């Protein structure tokens, strides 16, 4: 079986620097296009959502993960996904008492490797593409969530904390034969 | 009467996978490709009157009765004297009414028909298994989509040994087997169905792995293509060629195992 013709399963490794710089140029271009950081936040979220819709298929195809039956599963799968796509292993903390909310602590986030936020951009959520990706990806597996940053390293917090909240299961979108 | 059997050695299926289909979450056919068509085509010369019963249905002239010499019921008439038939017409003429049956029923046309028959005293017919049109494939795909859903209804839910109920509903159709082919279906968590149609002899065990690999290719070459929009038919050359080589590779492996 020659691996050269069909490359399946081997995730190609790219430099995280290249990734960080590409993302940086994307954000700076968006800031050039629109002066309003709020607008950029919204755009990043929307882009992330569209990435998530597609990225989830890649994740499922490469990991053959079963359906998540509780939110703890979801947290675990998100950890795996961060490992696969960003090369970091975020810790899951701060579970709410009803276990429908948790936080991901993103240390060593490759996106912010060389970044310092200028003062006039204090409204900008630099990494806002990540919550969008999570929302889009989980929506494709019929789980509706919201995700947002509660702490941001770029804004002087000691770490980056991403909060994920379960909203509901999208029953009407559940394909038959998957229970 | 002479009969000509066309049995091209090149056309005998070597590959065991006939088709790959992808059905979207909403039941639309977003990809289909035939890798090996079993086209058994048979040519035979007939005089008048015809000893086959032909009927027009589903835009094709098909044999309904009188199976003989390898021409089977269900075969469609493809051409007469090397001229292809489209629908029920051969050129300008209606095949069933004007060419085949007219001689007895409409004496007014007899002369014409005799002339016609004299000119070409015998008809050389070509029959074959009718090919599915794209429309028919779309219909079949959405039909399978609903059958899959019906199979997944919670009808039988046996209890496990410890008294607990097993899964509350079954999965959909994973394998569908007939005399001539076997259909394997894999549904992803996001609701896309990957369907592989293969012959019955090929090993069933390798098919799950194959379906998963097709899924990987889909996620790599269709979804990462920025010009592909979700739920729309997949027209990506890279996907086509990678799928093709995956299938070929799979054939080799299967053959060496067998």
């Amino acid at each position: 079986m020659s691996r050269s013709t069909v490359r399946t399963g081997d995730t190609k490794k790219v430099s995280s620097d290249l990734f960080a710089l590409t993302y940086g140029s994307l954000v700076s271009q968006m800031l050039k296009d629109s002066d309003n950081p709020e607008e950029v936040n919204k755009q990043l979220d929307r882009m992330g959502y569209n990435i998530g819709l597609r990225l989830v298929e890649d994740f499922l195809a490469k990991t053959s993960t079963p359906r998540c039956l509780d939110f703890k599963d979801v947290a675990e799968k998100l950890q795996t996904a961060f490992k696969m796509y960003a090369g970091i292993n975020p810790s899951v903390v701060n579970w709410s008492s009803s276990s429908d909310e948790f936080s991901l602590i993103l240390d060593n986030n490759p996106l912010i490797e060389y970044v310092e936020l200028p003062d006039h951009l204090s409204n900008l959520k630099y990494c806002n593409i990540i919550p969008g990706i999570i929302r889009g990806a989980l929506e494709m597996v019929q789980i509706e969530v919201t995700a947002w940053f509660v702490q941001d390293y770029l804004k002087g917090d000691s770490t980056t904390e991403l909060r994920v909240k379960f909203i509901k299961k999208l029953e009407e979108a559940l394909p038959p034969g998957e229970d | 009467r002479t009969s000509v059997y066309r049995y091209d050695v090149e056309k005998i299926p070597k590959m065991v996978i006939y088709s790959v289909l992808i059905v979207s979450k909403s039941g639309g056919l977003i990809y289909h490709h035939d890798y090996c068509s079993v086209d058994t085509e048979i040519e035979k010369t007939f005089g008048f009157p015809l000893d086959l019963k032909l009927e027009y249905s589903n835009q094709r002239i098909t044999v309904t009765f009188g199976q003989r010499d390898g021409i089977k019921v269900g075969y469609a008439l493809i051409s007469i004297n090397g001229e292809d038939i489209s629908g029920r017409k051969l050129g300008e003429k209606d095949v069933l009414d004007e060419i085949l049956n007219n001689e007895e029923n409409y004496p007014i046309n007899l002369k014409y028909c005799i002339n016609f028959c004299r000119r070409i005293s015998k008809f050389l017919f070509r029959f074959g298994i009718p090919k599915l049109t794209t429309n028919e494939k779309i219909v079949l795909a959405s039909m399978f989509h609903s059958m899959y859903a019906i199979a997944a209804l919670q009808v039988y839910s046996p209890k496990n040994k410890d008294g607990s109920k097993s899964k509350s509903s079954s999965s959909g159709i994973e394998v569908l087997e007939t005399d001539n082919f076997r259909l394997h279906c894999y549904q992803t968590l996001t609701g896309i169905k990957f369907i592989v149609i293969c012959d019955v002899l090929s090993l069933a065990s390798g098919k799950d792995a194959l379906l998963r690999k097709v899924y990987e290719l889909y996620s790599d070459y269709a979804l990462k293509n920025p010009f592909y929009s979700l739920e729309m038919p997949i027209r990506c050359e890279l996907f086509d060629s990678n799928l093709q080589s995956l299938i070929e590779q799979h054939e080799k492996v299967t053959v060496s195992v067998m």
Side-chain angles (χ1 to χ4, degrees):
Chain A
M1 206 191 246
S2 69
R3 304 279 298 164
S4 57
T5 44
V6 180
R7 291 185 308 267
T8 55
D10 60 337
T11 39
K12 275 192 229 83
K13 299 268 187 284
V14 294
S15 151
S16 68
D17 287 355
L18 180 65
F19 179 49
L21 294 174
T22 312
Y23 185 70
S25 58
L26 171 74
V27 176
S28 67
Q29 182 62 48
M30 287 168 77
L31 284 165
K32 266 178 215 153
D33 293 348
S34 149
D35 291 333
N36 183 3
E38 296 288 345
E39 184 58 30
V40 173
N41 290 343
K42 217 184 282 175
Q43 284 294 340
L44 281 174
D45 181 78
R46 194 180 305 157
M47 285 168 65
Y49 174 78
N50 286 318
I51 292 172
L53 295 183
R54 290 160 181 252
L55 196 62
V56 68
E57 305 280 8
D58 186 72
F59 178 75
L60 294 174
K62 285 184 177 140
T63 59
S64 61
T65 179
R67 182 171 292 284
C68 292
L69 297 175
D70 62 22
F71 214 43
K72 292 232 157 57
D73 268 353
V74 173
E76 231 168 76
K77 296 286 150 37
L78 283 180
Q79 268 181 310
T80 323
F82 268 103
K83 183 105 199 83
M84 266 176 78
Y85 295 112
I88 53 171
N89 203 359
S91 44
V92 178
V93 293
N94 296 344
W95 278 97
S96 67
S97 51
S98 52
S99 23
D100 62 349
E101 253 184 274
F102 63 85
S103 289
L104 290 163
I105 302 295
L106 307 175
D107 287 327
N108 315 317
N109 181 355
L111 290 184
I112 59 169
E113 188 79 0
Y114 308 105
V115 181
E116 279 174 25
L117 273 192
D119 292 338
H120 67 283
L121 290 177
S122 59
N123 284 341
L124 178 72
K125 294 172 185 154
Y126 183 78
C127 293
N128 213 32
I129 203 159
I130 297 178
I133 294 175
I134 292 176
R135 188 164 57 88
L138 288 176
E139 189 182 295
M140 284 300 271
V141 286
Q142 298 85 41
I143 299 166
E144 194 180 327
V145 297
T146 47
W148 69 97
F149 285 108
V150 284
Q151 291 191 73
D152 194 338
Y153 184 76
L154 291 177
K155 291 180 184 159
D157 296 318
S158 59
T159 182
T160 303
E161 181 182 349
L162 181 65
R163 193 94 181 131
V164 183
K165 182 178 171 35
F166 176 84
I167 296 176
K168 66 171 187 231
K169 188 86 187 288
L170 299 162
E171 288 293 345
E172 72 279 8
L174 192 68
E178 282 294 344
D179 200 44
Chain B
R1 279 177 189 175
T2 55
S3 52
V4 182
Y5 283 83
R6 176 187 272 229
Y7 218 80
D8 200 345
V9 181
E10 287 302 309
K11 281 186 177 165
I12 295 174
K14 287 187 207 108
M15 294 172 76
V16 282
I17 287 162
Y18 298 143
S19 304
V20 172
L21 299 108
I22 304 179
V23 178
S24 79
K25 189 175 175 174
S26 45
L29 185 66
I30 56 174
Y31 185 82
H32 68 92
H33 199 284
D34 296 332
Y35 290 94
C36 147
S37 51
V38 203
D39 42 5
T40 27
E41 285 184 358
I42 285 165
E43 274 182 349
K44 190 167 161 50
T45 316
F46 286 96
F48 193 87
L50 202 62
D51 52 359
L52 288 168
K53 297 282 167 265
L54 298 175
E55 227 165 70
Y56 182 71
S57 65
N58 288 330
Q59 339 258 307
R60 294 189 188 97
I61 298 171
T62 44
V63 180
T64 54
F65 204 66
Q67 181 164 307
R68 56 191 293 263
D69 299 336
I71 299 166
K72 297 192 173 119
V73 169
Y75 275 26
L77 187 57
I78 295 168
S79 70
I80 296 178
N81 294 328
E83 211 177 321
D84 280 349
I85 291 173
S86 64
R88 56 181 291 160
K89 300 245 175 178
L90 180 76
E92 289 295 295
K93 294 185 192 69
D94 189 294
V95 175
L96 285 184
D97 295 338
E98 293 176 54
I99 300 182
L100 300 180
N101 290 345
N102 236 4
E103 188 147 348
E104 295 151 311
N105 296 345
Y106 300 92
I108 201 161
N109 283 338
L110 190 65
K111 195 177 159 201
Y112 169 75
C113 238
I114 288 170
N115 283 343
F116 190 87
C117 291
R118 224 174 253 157
R119 199 150 48 83
I120 11 163
S121 58
K122 281 171 175 174
F123 292 122
L124 179 68
F125 290 95
R126 184 136 65 95
F127 292 92
I129 297 171
K131 290 231 167 44
L132 289 176
T133 63
T134 305
N135 268 343
E136 285 169 318
K137 281 182 183 163
I138 291 171
V139 171
L140 289 179
S142 67
M143 211 183 273
F144 181 78
H145 182 75
S146 359
M147 280 177 6
Y148 189 97
I150 292 170
L153 288 176
Q154 184 180 346
V155 183
Y156 301 106
S157 173
K159 279 185 178 166
N160 290 340
K161 275 182 189 151
D162 55 2
S164 65
K165 279 272 181 87
S166 65
K167 291 179 89 182
S168 58
S169 80
S170 91
S171 75
I173 298 169
E174 286 172 356
V175 182
L176 191 148
E177 195 172 295
T178 74
D179 276 1
N180 294 326
F181 66 87
R182 199 187 279 136
L183 181 153
H184 293 261
C185 177
Y186 168 70
Q187 178 169 269
T188 70
L189 294 186
T190 52
I192 302 164
K193 289 183 190 65
F194 293 90
I195 298 168
V196 162
I197 299 175
C198 59
D199 68 354
V200 267
L201 293 173
S202 62
L203 296 175
S205 57
K207 289 296 177 301
D208 281 350
L210 176 74
L211 284 163
R212 294 210 58 92
K213 282 203 185 115
V214 178
Y215 185 23
E216 275 182 35
L217 289 183
Y218 167 76
S219 74
D220 277 348
Y221 293 99
L223 286 180
K224 286 175 193 166
N225 179 350
F227 303 108
Y228 167 70
S229 46
L230 291 178
E231 300 266 310
M232 292 308 281
I234 301 168
R235 290 184 220 286
C236 308
E237 260 175 48
L238 272 178
F239 179 70
D240 284 344
S241 57
N242 278 281
L243 193 54
Q244 179 85 43
S245 53
L246 174 68
I247 300 283
E248 278 164 17
Q249 202 178 73
H250 185 82
E251 294 308 330
K252 272 186 217 143
V253 174
T254 321
V255 168
S256 64
V257 168
M258 277 167 79

